[in-house]
Amino acid sequence: MSLHVTVLPSGRTFLCHPDETLLAAAIRQGVGLPYACKDGACGSCKCRRLDGSVVMDSYQPRALSEAEAAEGQILTCRARPSTDVVLESRQVTETGGFPIKKMPTRVLSLERRSHDVMVINMQLPANDTLGYHAGQFVEFILRDGSRRSYSMANAPHVQPEPGKPSIQLHVRHMPGGKFTDHVFGGMKEKEILRIEGPYGSFFLREDSAAPLIFLASGTGFAPLKAIIEHMQFKGITRPAVLYWGGRRPGDLYMSDWVEQKCAEMPHLRFVPVVSDALPEDGWTGRTGFVHQAVLDDHPDLSGHQVYACGAPIVVESAQREFTARAGLLADEFYADAFTSERDKHMA
Ligand SMILES: Cc1cc2nc3c(=O)[nH]c(=O)nc-3n(C[C@H](O)[C@H](O)[C@H](O)COP(=O)(O)OP(=O)(O)OC[C@H]3O[C@@H](n4cnc5c(N)ncnc54)[C@H](O)[C@@H]3O)c2cc1C
């Protein structure tokens, strides 16, 4: 038996089996609910349950606080319906998504851009296509069946390796991590890896003219790079400021690329922010936390749209403080928090 799920205010409906999550059913049927980690760790899929009841699988309290749960908010990635359900989610997208596909990919090149960032170009099969929105991610399916998510750093129209259908990924090493230890240890050109995608709701909402704040920490730059390429390609001239934060200047591993884009796109500005520069870095730019730099420059964020990506702590701080202190509408904050196994197992 399938249960009916209605999403307000759009009125979109879909069916959900009692043993699947609301999010899995929505993705299966091409309904664009917001989400990122799909694992109860990031909170991107949080929305209000207006009617009906759900059973919640376990999740991180950081993703959904007790107070939020008490006032009827749920995580669609952890909620299985026990009756018909009505949800409120203003970020649901109207357009159908791209089909989610599994395909083999081959490592074309590996380029170390900083002490802990590898830029990987992956070749896609010649006889298949991967349609996606700039900003979305794919999952690697590892040999043991576990999955790791990485955002495409190129817009779909850009081929990182000219003449070859390919995607670019920016991977930060997390020492002790199952996948990134391999990337920085044994990964070689020509290695074959299975991917599935596209996934995610982190892409530019083009029905708005609101000025844009792009907030990246570390490799959170990757999907924003794709979005900037997409804006240039489509001639989108909404004012946009990219705040990119790292501990040391070298963490902003493609700042020359951003400077070049700013020269080509007069409506785009770049504010690099470094939190732990050493004297030998000779850093003379902005310092401190990257989300604080946004607040310093924009004490009033009402009327803006924010796209934030990268370390979960940065994304969470930005969401909390931009909405509480600078008047940003909660629905105008779009985010992909790069959660990992550590975030899923934190007490
Ligand atoms: C939507 C999304 C998009 C993403 N995009 C990107 C991207 O573009 N670029 C990028 O660099 N990353 C991205 N990530 C993060 C990425 O998916 C991986 O989580 C990250 O690369 C770590 O993978 P790993 O297998 O190396 O580490 P994991 O095996 O996940 O381990 C991560 C860390 O946790 C520790 N750990 C492992 N298991 C446990 C445990 N049980 N308890 C406590 N600690 C533990 C490990 O020692 C390690 O330090 C994204 C994540 C999401 C959710």
Side-chain angles (χ1 to χ4, degrees), residues 221-253:
F221 168 67
L224 291 168
K225 171 178 176 287
I227 289 175
I228 290 169
E229 287 176 348
H230 172 77
M231 288 177 69
Q232 185 176 31
F233 183 60
K234 291 275 174 176
I236 297 169
T237 56
R238 287 161 68 182
V241 192
L242 169 66
Y243 289 82
W244 188 6
R247 286 165 52 85
R248 309 265 308 272
D251 294 334
L252 311 183
Y253 53 88

PDB file of all heavy atoms in Angstrom, residues 221-253:
ATOM      1  N   PHE A 221      34.024  25.206  -2.564  1.00  0.00           N
ATOM      2  CA  PHE A 221      34.149  26.035  -3.767  1.00  0.00           C
ATOM      3  C   PHE A 221      33.689  25.291  -5.018  1.00  0.00           C
ATOM      4  O   PHE A 221      33.205  25.908  -5.975  1.00  0.00           O
ATOM      5  CB  PHE A 221      35.618  26.469  -3.912  1.00  0.00           C
ATOM      6  CG  PHE A 221      35.959  27.069  -5.235  1.00  0.00           C
ATOM      7  CD1 PHE A 221      35.426  28.293  -5.620  1.00  0.00           C
ATOM      8  CD2 PHE A 221      36.810  26.402  -6.108  1.00  0.00           C
ATOM      9  CE1 PHE A 221      35.739  28.839  -6.864  1.00  0.00           C
ATOM     10  CE2 PHE A 221      37.127  26.950  -7.340  1.00  0.00           C
ATOM     11  CZ  PHE A 221      36.588  28.169  -7.729  1.00  0.00           C
ATOM     12  N   ALA A 222      33.824  23.956  -5.024  1.00  0.00           N
ATOM     13  CA  ALA A 222      33.604  23.185  -6.262  1.00  0.00           C
ATOM     14  C   ALA A 222      32.230  23.453  -6.900  1.00  0.00           C
ATOM     15  O   ALA A 222      32.153  23.853  -8.069  1.00  0.00           O
ATOM     16  CB  ALA A 222      33.814  21.694  -6.004  1.00  0.00           C
ATOM     17  N   PRO A 223      31.132  23.249  -6.185  1.00  0.00           N
ATOM     18  CA  PRO A 223      29.836  23.465  -6.846  1.00  0.00           C
ATOM     19  C   PRO A 223      29.583  24.930  -7.174  1.00  0.00           C
ATOM     20  O   PRO A 223      28.855  25.246  -8.123  1.00  0.00           O
ATOM     21  CB  PRO A 223      28.819  22.942  -5.820  1.00  0.00           C
ATOM     22  CG  PRO A 223      29.517  22.989  -4.513  1.00  0.00           C
ATOM     23  CD  PRO A 223      30.961  22.749  -4.806  1.00  0.00           C
ATOM     24  N   LEU A 224      30.201  25.845  -6.392  1.00  0.00           N
ATOM     25  CA  LEU A 224      30.017  27.266  -6.697  1.00  0.00           C
ATOM     26  C   LEU A 224      30.778  27.638  -7.958  1.00  0.00           C
ATOM     27  O   LEU A 224      30.334  28.471  -8.747  1.00  0.00           O
ATOM     28  CB  LEU A 224      30.448  28.115  -5.493  1.00  0.00           C
ATOM     29  CG  LEU A 224      29.494  27.945  -4.302  1.00  0.00           C
ATOM     30  CD1 LEU A 224      30.079  28.558  -3.034  1.00  0.00           C
ATOM     31  CD2 LEU A 224      28.132  28.563  -4.606  1.00  0.00           C
ATOM     32  N   LYS A 225      31.911  26.990  -8.184  1.00  0.00           N
ATOM     33  CA  LYS A 225      32.635  27.195  -9.448  1.00  0.00           C
ATOM     34  C   LYS A 225      31.725  26.800 -10.617  1.00  0.00           C
ATOM     35  O   LYS A 225      31.608  27.524 -11.609  1.00  0.00           O
ATOM     36  CB  LYS A 225      33.919  26.360  -9.468  1.00  0.00           C
ATOM     37  CG  LYS A 225      34.626  26.341 -10.811  1.00  0.00           C
ATOM     38  CD  LYS A 225      35.933  25.540 -10.746  1.00  0.00           C
ATOM     39  CE  LYS A 225      36.608  25.429 -12.110  1.00  0.00           C
ATOM     40  NZ  LYS A 225      35.931  24.515 -13.028  1.00  0.00           N
ATOM     41  N   ALA A 226      31.048  25.656 -10.475  1.00  0.00           N
ATOM     42  CA  ALA A 226      30.146  25.208 -11.544  1.00  0.00           C
ATOM     43  C   ALA A 226      29.010  26.209 -11.743  1.00  0.00           C
ATOM     44  O   ALA A 226      28.629  26.523 -12.882  1.00  0.00           O
ATOM     45  CB  ALA A 226      29.588  23.823 -11.201  1.00  0.00           C
ATOM     46  N   ILE A 227      28.481  26.736 -10.639  1.00  0.00           N
ATOM     47  CA  ILE A 227      27.367  27.695 -10.747  1.00  0.00           C
ATOM     48  C   ILE A 227      27.841  28.986 -11.420  1.00  0.00           C
ATOM     49  O   ILE A 227      27.139  29.573 -12.250  1.00  0.00           O
ATOM     50  CB  ILE A 227      26.746  27.947  -9.348  1.00  0.00           C
ATOM     51  CG1 ILE A 227      25.969  26.691  -8.901  1.00  0.00           C
ATOM     52  CG2 ILE A 227      25.846  29.175  -9.362  1.00  0.00           C
ATOM     53  CD1 ILE A 227      25.405  26.752  -7.484  1.00  0.00           C
ATOM     54  N   ILE A 228      29.047  29.430 -11.097  1.00  0.00           N
ATOM     55  CA  ILE A 228      29.586  30.645 -11.730  1.00  0.00           C
ATOM     56  C   ILE A 228      29.751  30.409 -13.241  1.00  0.00           C
ATOM     57  O   ILE A 228      29.396  31.256 -14.064  1.00  0.00           O
ATOM     58  CB  ILE A 228      30.918  31.057 -11.052  1.00  0.00           C
ATOM     59  CG1 ILE A 228      30.628  31.573  -9.638  1.00  0.00           C
ATOM     60  CG2 ILE A 228      31.661  32.109 -11.881  1.00  0.00           C
ATOM     61  CD1 ILE A 228      31.865  31.760  -8.763  1.00  0.00           C
ATOM     62  N   GLU A 229      30.260  29.244 -13.609  1.00  0.00           N
ATOM     63  CA  GLU A 229      30.388  28.926 -15.045  1.00  0.00           C
ATOM     64  C   GLU A 229      29.027  28.923 -15.724  1.00  0.00           C
ATOM     65  O   GLU A 229      28.872  29.417 -16.846  1.00  0.00           O
ATOM     66  CB  GLU A 229      31.051  27.549 -15.228  1.00  0.00           C
ATOM     67  CG  GLU A 229      32.528  27.531 -14.923  1.00  0.00           C
ATOM     68  CD  GLU A 229      33.151  26.140 -15.025  1.00  0.00           C
ATOM     69  OE1 GLU A 229      32.408  25.135 -15.111  1.00  0.00           O
ATOM     70  OE2 GLU A 229      34.387  26.055 -14.994  1.00  0.00           O
ATOM     71  N   HIS A 230      28.050  28.374 -15.012  1.00  0.00           N
ATOM     72  CA  HIS A 230      26.687  28.326 -15.575  1.00  0.00           C
ATOM     73  C   HIS A 230      26.136  29.745 -15.762  1.00  0.00           C
ATOM     74  O   HIS A 230      25.528  30.057 -16.793  1.00  0.00           O
ATOM     75  CB  HIS A 230      25.800  27.518 -14.619  1.00  0.00           C
ATOM     76  CG  HIS A 230      24.354  27.552 -14.969  1.00  0.00           C
ATOM     77  ND1 HIS A 230      23.821  26.795 -15.997  1.00  0.00           N
ATOM     78  CD2 HIS A 230      23.318  28.268 -14.455  1.00  0.00           C
ATOM     79  CE1 HIS A 230      22.518  27.040 -16.087  1.00  0.00           C
ATOM     80  NE2 HIS A 230      22.193  27.927 -15.170  1.00  0.00           N
ATOM     81  N   MET A 231      26.363  30.618 -14.771  1.00  0.00           N
ATOM     82  CA  MET A 231      25.857  31.995 -14.878  1.00  0.00           C
ATOM     83  C   MET A 231      26.475  32.698 -16.074  1.00  0.00           C
ATOM     84  O   MET A 231      25.804  33.410 -16.824  1.00  0.00           O
ATOM     85  CB  MET A 231      26.186  32.767 -13.592  1.00  0.00           C
ATOM     86  CG  MET A 231      25.348  32.344 -12.410  1.00  0.00           C
ATOM     87  SD  MET A 231      25.828  33.219 -10.914  1.00  0.00           S
ATOM     88  CE  MET A 231      25.278  34.891 -11.259  1.00  0.00           C
ATOM     89  N   GLN A 232      27.763  32.496 -16.253  1.00  0.00           N
ATOM     90  CA  GLN A 232      28.443  33.145 -17.372  1.00  0.00           C
ATOM     91  C   GLN A 232      27.875  32.629 -18.698  1.00  0.00           C
ATOM     92  O   GLN A 232      27.589  33.400 -19.616  1.00  0.00           O
ATOM     93  CB  GLN A 232      29.943  32.880 -17.290  1.00  0.00           C
ATOM     94  CG  GLN A 232      30.726  33.640 -18.363  1.00  0.00           C
ATOM     95  CD  GLN A 232      32.225  33.459 -18.216  1.00  0.00           C
ATOM     96  OE1 GLN A 232      32.700  32.421 -17.761  1.00  0.00           O
ATOM     97  NE2 GLN A 232      32.974  34.478 -18.603  1.00  0.00           N
ATOM     98  N   PHE A 233      27.684  31.325 -18.767  1.00  0.00           N
ATOM     99  CA  PHE A 233      27.186  30.689 -19.996  1.00  0.00           C
ATOM    100  C   PHE A 233      25.788  31.194 -20.345  1.00  0.00           C
ATOM    101  O   PHE A 233      25.471  31.465 -21.504  1.00  0.00           O
ATOM    102  CB  PHE A 233      27.163  29.170 -19.772  1.00  0.00           C
ATOM    103  CG  PHE A 233      26.736  28.362 -20.954  1.00  0.00           C
ATOM    104  CD1 PHE A 233      27.433  28.400 -22.145  1.00  0.00           C
ATOM    105  CD2 PHE A 233      25.630  27.516 -20.859  1.00  0.00           C
ATOM    106  CE1 PHE A 233      27.030  27.629 -23.238  1.00  0.00           C
ATOM    107  CE2 PHE A 233      25.231  26.749 -21.946  1.00  0.00           C
ATOM    108  CZ  PHE A 233      25.934  26.801 -23.130  1.00  0.00           C
ATOM    109  N   LYS A 234      24.955  31.345 -19.301  1.00  0.00           N
ATOM    110  CA  LYS A 234      23.560  31.741 -19.523  1.00  0.00           C
ATOM    111  C   LYS A 234      23.380  33.250 -19.562  1.00  0.00           C
ATOM    112  O   LYS A 234      22.268  33.748 -19.717  1.00  0.00           O
ATOM    113  CB  LYS A 234      22.675  31.189 -18.393  1.00  0.00           C
ATOM    114  CG  LYS A 234      22.514  29.688 -18.417  1.00  0.00           C
ATOM    115  CD  LYS A 234      21.392  29.315 -19.346  1.00  0.00           C
ATOM    116  CE  LYS A 234      21.298  27.821 -19.512  1.00  0.00           C
ATOM    117  NZ  LYS A 234      20.198  27.394 -20.323  1.00  0.00           N
ATOM    118  N   GLY A 235      24.447  34.002 -19.332  1.00  0.00           N
ATOM    119  CA  GLY A 235      24.340  35.464 -19.321  1.00  0.00           C
ATOM    120  C   GLY A 235      23.543  35.982 -18.133  1.00  0.00           C
ATOM    121  O   GLY A 235      22.862  37.004 -18.227  1.00  0.00           O
ATOM    122  N   ILE A 236      23.606  35.278 -17.007  1.00  0.00           N
ATOM    123  CA  ILE A 236      22.892  35.717 -15.792  1.00  0.00           C
ATOM    124  C   ILE A 236      23.761  36.771 -15.110  1.00  0.00           C
ATOM    125  O   ILE A 236      24.906  36.497 -14.749  1.00  0.00           O
ATOM    126  CB  ILE A 236      22.625  34.521 -14.853  1.00  0.00           C
ATOM    127  CG1 ILE A 236      21.708  33.510 -15.553  1.00  0.00           C
ATOM    128  CG2 ILE A 236      22.016  34.989 -13.522  1.00  0.00           C
ATOM    129  CD1 ILE A 236      21.572  32.180 -14.845  1.00  0.00           C
ATOM    130  N   THR A 237      23.194  37.972 -14.945  1.00  0.00           N
ATOM    131  CA  THR A 237      24.010  39.090 -14.441  1.00  0.00           C
ATOM    132  C   THR A 237      23.554  39.568 -13.065  1.00  0.00           C
ATOM    133  O   THR A 237      23.756  40.724 -12.718  1.00  0.00           O
ATOM    134  CB  THR A 237      23.988  40.262 -15.444  1.00  0.00           C
ATOM    135  OG1 THR A 237      22.615  40.615 -15.676  1.00  0.00           O
ATOM    136  CG2 THR A 237      24.660  39.897 -16.748  1.00  0.00           C
ATOM    137  N   ARG A 238      22.937  38.682 -12.292  1.00  0.00           N
ATOM    138  CA  ARG A 238      22.573  39.075 -10.919  1.00  0.00           C
ATOM    139  C   ARG A 238      23.862  39.385 -10.157  1.00  0.00           C
ATOM    140  O   ARG A 238      24.849  38.655 -10.280  1.00  0.00           O
ATOM    141  CB  ARG A 238      21.849  37.921 -10.217  1.00  0.00           C
ATOM    142  CG  ARG A 238      20.438  37.734 -10.730  1.00  0.00           C
ATOM    143  CD  ARG A 238      19.900  36.365 -10.401  1.00  0.00           C
ATOM    144  NE  ARG A 238      19.683  36.152  -8.990  1.00  0.00           N
ATOM    145  CZ  ARG A 238      19.240  34.998  -8.492  1.00  0.00           C
ATOM    146  NH1 ARG A 238      18.984  33.967  -9.293  1.00  0.00           N
ATOM    147  NH2 ARG A 238      19.036  34.881  -7.209  1.00  0.00           N
ATOM    148  N   PRO A 239      23.848  40.468  -9.354  1.00  0.00           N
ATOM    149  CA  PRO A 239      25.057  40.757  -8.582  1.00  0.00           C
ATOM    150  C   PRO A 239      25.388  39.587  -7.665  1.00  0.00           C
ATOM    151  O   PRO A 239      24.494  39.041  -7.004  1.00  0.00           O
ATOM    152  CB  PRO A 239      24.693  41.998  -7.765  1.00  0.00           C
ATOM    153  CG  PRO A 239      23.318  42.384  -8.149  1.00  0.00           C
ATOM    154  CD  PRO A 239      22.750  41.392  -9.105  1.00  0.00           C
ATOM    155  N   ALA A 240      26.650  39.202  -7.625  1.00  0.00           N
ATOM    156  CA  ALA A 240      27.051  38.033  -6.839  1.00  0.00           C
ATOM    157  C   ALA A 240      28.400  38.307  -6.194  1.00  0.00           C
ATOM    158  O   ALA A 240      29.285  38.888  -6.824  1.00  0.00           O
ATOM    159  CB  ALA A 240      27.152  36.809  -7.751  1.00  0.00           C
ATOM    160  N   VAL A 241      28.525  37.920  -4.935  1.00  0.00           N
ATOM    161  CA  VAL A 241      29.818  38.016  -4.249  1.00  0.00           C
ATOM    162  C   VAL A 241      30.186  36.625  -3.755  1.00  0.00           C
ATOM    163  O   VAL A 241      29.390  35.983  -3.059  1.00  0.00           O
ATOM    164  CB  VAL A 241      29.774  38.967  -3.031  1.00  0.00           C
ATOM    165  CG1 VAL A 241      31.201  39.251  -2.549  1.00  0.00           C
ATOM    166  CG2 VAL A 241      29.051  40.252  -3.344  1.00  0.00           C
ATOM    167  N   LEU A 242      31.363  36.168  -4.129  1.00  0.00           N
ATOM    168  CA  LEU A 242      31.872  34.882  -3.624  1.00  0.00           C
ATOM    169  C   LEU A 242      32.785  35.150  -2.438  1.00  0.00           C
ATOM    170  O   LEU A 242      33.821  35.813  -2.571  1.00  0.00           O
ATOM    171  CB  LEU A 242      32.659  34.151  -4.717  1.00  0.00           C
ATOM    172  CG  LEU A 242      33.450  32.925  -4.239  1.00  0.00           C
ATOM    173  CD1 LEU A 242      32.515  31.805  -3.754  1.00  0.00           C
ATOM    174  CD2 LEU A 242      34.365  32.387  -5.346  1.00  0.00           C
ATOM    175  N   TYR A 243      32.375  34.653  -1.261  1.00  0.00           N
ATOM    176  CA  TYR A 243      33.245  34.649  -0.078  1.00  0.00           C
ATOM    177  C   TYR A 243      33.799  33.238   0.014  1.00  0.00           C
ATOM    178  O   TYR A 243      33.044  32.279   0.150  1.00  0.00           O
ATOM    179  CB  TYR A 243      32.449  34.977   1.188  1.00  0.00           C
ATOM    180  CG  TYR A 243      32.003  36.421   1.261  1.00  0.00           C
ATOM    181  CD1 TYR A 243      30.860  36.856   0.601  1.00  0.00           C
ATOM    182  CD2 TYR A 243      32.737  37.355   1.985  1.00  0.00           C
ATOM    183  CE1 TYR A 243      30.465  38.183   0.661  1.00  0.00           C
ATOM    184  CE2 TYR A 243      32.341  38.687   2.057  1.00  0.00           C
ATOM    185  CZ  TYR A 243      31.204  39.082   1.391  1.00  0.00           C
ATOM    186  OH  TYR A 243      30.823  40.400   1.440  1.00  0.00           O
ATOM    187  N   TRP A 244      35.144  33.126  -0.031  1.00  0.00           N
ATOM    188  CA  TRP A 244      35.757  31.790   0.019  1.00  0.00           C
ATOM    189  C   TRP A 244      36.726  31.778   1.191  1.00  0.00           C
ATOM    190  O   TRP A 244      37.674  32.567   1.230  1.00  0.00           O
ATOM    191  CB  TRP A 244      36.480  31.497  -1.299  1.00  0.00           C
ATOM    192  CG  TRP A 244      36.990  30.084  -1.435  1.00  0.00           C
ATOM    193  CD1 TRP A 244      36.786  29.034  -0.577  1.00  0.00           C
ATOM    194  CD2 TRP A 244      37.785  29.569  -2.507  1.00  0.00           C
ATOM    195  NE1 TRP A 244      37.397  27.894  -1.056  1.00  0.00           N
ATOM    196  CE2 TRP A 244      38.025  28.198  -2.234  1.00  0.00           C
ATOM    197  CE3 TRP A 244      38.320  30.132  -3.662  1.00  0.00           C
ATOM    198  CZ2 TRP A 244      38.771  27.383  -3.069  1.00  0.00           C
ATOM    199  CZ3 TRP A 244      39.070  29.317  -4.513  1.00  0.00           C
ATOM    200  CH2 TRP A 244      39.290  27.957  -4.225  1.00  0.00           C
ATOM    201  N   GLY A 245      36.467  30.887   2.133  1.00  0.00           N
ATOM    202  CA  GLY A 245      37.274  30.836   3.342  1.00  0.00           C
ATOM    203  C   GLY A 245      38.158  29.613   3.419  1.00  0.00           C
ATOM    204  O   GLY A 245      37.783  28.524   2.980  1.00  0.00           O
ATOM    205  N   GLY A 246      39.359  29.812   3.970  1.00  0.00           N
ATOM    206  CA  GLY A 246      40.274  28.710   4.243  1.00  0.00           C
ATOM    207  C   GLY A 246      41.127  29.080   5.447  1.00  0.00           C
ATOM    208  O   GLY A 246      41.097  30.230   5.903  1.00  0.00           O
ATOM    209  N   ARG A 247      41.870  28.109   5.944  1.00  0.00           N
ATOM    210  CA  ARG A 247      42.735  28.411   7.094  1.00  0.00           C
ATOM    211  C   ARG A 247      43.952  29.218   6.648  1.00  0.00           C
ATOM    212  O   ARG A 247      44.311  30.199   7.267  1.00  0.00           O
ATOM    213  CB  ARG A 247      43.184  27.105   7.754  1.00  0.00           C
ATOM    214  CG  ARG A 247      42.080  26.431   8.555  1.00  0.00           C
ATOM    215  CD  ARG A 247      42.421  24.999   8.879  1.00  0.00           C
ATOM    216  NE  ARG A 247      43.731  24.882   9.509  1.00  0.00           N
ATOM    217  CZ  ARG A 247      43.965  25.024  10.807  1.00  0.00           C
ATOM    218  NH1 ARG A 247      42.966  25.253  11.624  1.00  0.00           N
ATOM    219  NH2 ARG A 247      45.179  24.917  11.289  1.00  0.00           N
ATOM    220  N   ARG A 248      44.578  28.777   5.559  1.00  0.00           N
ATOM    221  CA  ARG A 248      45.769  29.452   5.029  1.00  0.00           C
ATOM    222  C   ARG A 248      45.472  29.848   3.580  1.00  0.00           C
ATOM    223  O   ARG A 248      44.613  29.252   2.934  1.00  0.00           O
ATOM    224  CB  ARG A 248      46.965  28.498   5.062  1.00  0.00           C
ATOM    225  CG  ARG A 248      47.232  27.813   6.406  1.00  0.00           C
ATOM    226  CD  ARG A 248      48.258  28.574   7.233  1.00  0.00           C
ATOM    227  NE  ARG A 248      49.500  28.878   6.535  1.00  0.00           N
ATOM    228  CZ  ARG A 248      50.570  28.069   6.484  1.00  0.00           C
ATOM    229  NH1 ARG A 248      50.537  26.896   7.075  1.00  0.00           N
ATOM    230  NH2 ARG A 248      51.660  28.449   5.840  1.00  0.00           N
ATOM    231  N   PRO A 249      46.219  30.827   3.050  1.00  0.00           N
ATOM    232  CA  PRO A 249      45.939  31.276   1.674  1.00  0.00           C
ATOM    233  C   PRO A 249      45.947  30.133   0.658  1.00  0.00           C
ATOM    234  O   PRO A 249      45.135  30.119  -0.274  1.00  0.00           O
ATOM    235  CB  PRO A 249      47.059  32.283   1.395  1.00  0.00           C
ATOM    236  CG  PRO A 249      47.472  32.781   2.742  1.00  0.00           C
ATOM    237  CD  PRO A 249      47.272  31.650   3.693  1.00  0.00           C
ATOM    238  N   GLY A 250      46.842  29.131   0.851  1.00  0.00           N
ATOM    239  CA  GLY A 250      46.927  28.024  -0.096  1.00  0.00           C
ATOM    240  C   GLY A 250      45.657  27.179  -0.153  1.00  0.00           C
ATOM    241  O   GLY A 250      45.444  26.428  -1.111  1.00  0.00           O
ATOM    242  N   ASP A 251      44.807  27.285   0.882  1.00  0.00           N
ATOM    243  CA  ASP A 251      43.546  26.528   0.865  1.00  0.00           C
ATOM    244  C   ASP A 251      42.577  27.065  -0.191  1.00  0.00           C
ATOM    245  O   ASP A 251      41.621  26.387  -0.564  1.00  0.00           O
ATOM    246  CB  ASP A 251      42.869  26.575   2.241  1.00  0.00           C
ATOM    247  CG  ASP A 251      43.699  25.854   3.293  1.00  0.00           C
ATOM    248  OD1 ASP A 251      44.469  24.945   2.921  1.00  0.00           O
ATOM    249  OD2 ASP A 251      43.583  26.206   4.481  1.00  0.00           O
ATOM    250  N   LEU A 252      42.798  28.302  -0.627  1.00  0.00           N
ATOM    251  CA  LEU A 252      41.948  28.881  -1.679  1.00  0.00           C
ATOM    252  C   LEU A 252      42.628  28.532  -3.010  1.00  0.00           C
ATOM    253  O   LEU A 252      43.212  29.363  -3.685  1.00  0.00           O
ATOM    254  CB  LEU A 252      41.811  30.387  -1.473  1.00  0.00           C
ATOM    255  CG  LEU A 252      41.424  30.782  -0.031  1.00  0.00           C
ATOM    256  CD1 LEU A 252      41.235  32.285   0.086  1.00  0.00           C
ATOM    257  CD2 LEU A 252      40.161  30.065   0.425  1.00  0.00           C
ATOM    258  N   TYR A 253      42.540  27.258  -3.339  1.00  0.00           N
ATOM    259  CA  TYR A 253      43.438  26.623  -4.302  1.00  0.00           C
ATOM    260  C   TYR A 253      43.186  27.006  -5.751  1.00  0.00           C
ATOM    261  O   TYR A 253      43.934  26.592  -6.622  1.00  0.00           O
ATOM    262  CB  TYR A 253      43.352  25.091  -4.142  1.00  0.00           C
ATOM    263  CG  TYR A 253      41.921  24.579  -4.203  1.00  0.00           C
ATOM    264  CD1 TYR A 253      41.332  24.252  -5.416  1.00  0.00           C
ATOM    265  CD2 TYR A 253      41.152  24.479  -3.056  1.00  0.00           C
ATOM    266  CE1 TYR A 253      40.027  23.822  -5.480  1.00  0.00           C
ATOM    267  CE2 TYR A 253      39.834  24.046  -3.108  1.00  0.00           C
ATOM    268  CZ  TYR A 253      39.281  23.719  -4.320  1.00  0.00           C
ATOM    269  OH  TYR A 253      37.977  23.315  -4.382  1.00  0.00           O
TER     270      TYR A 253
END
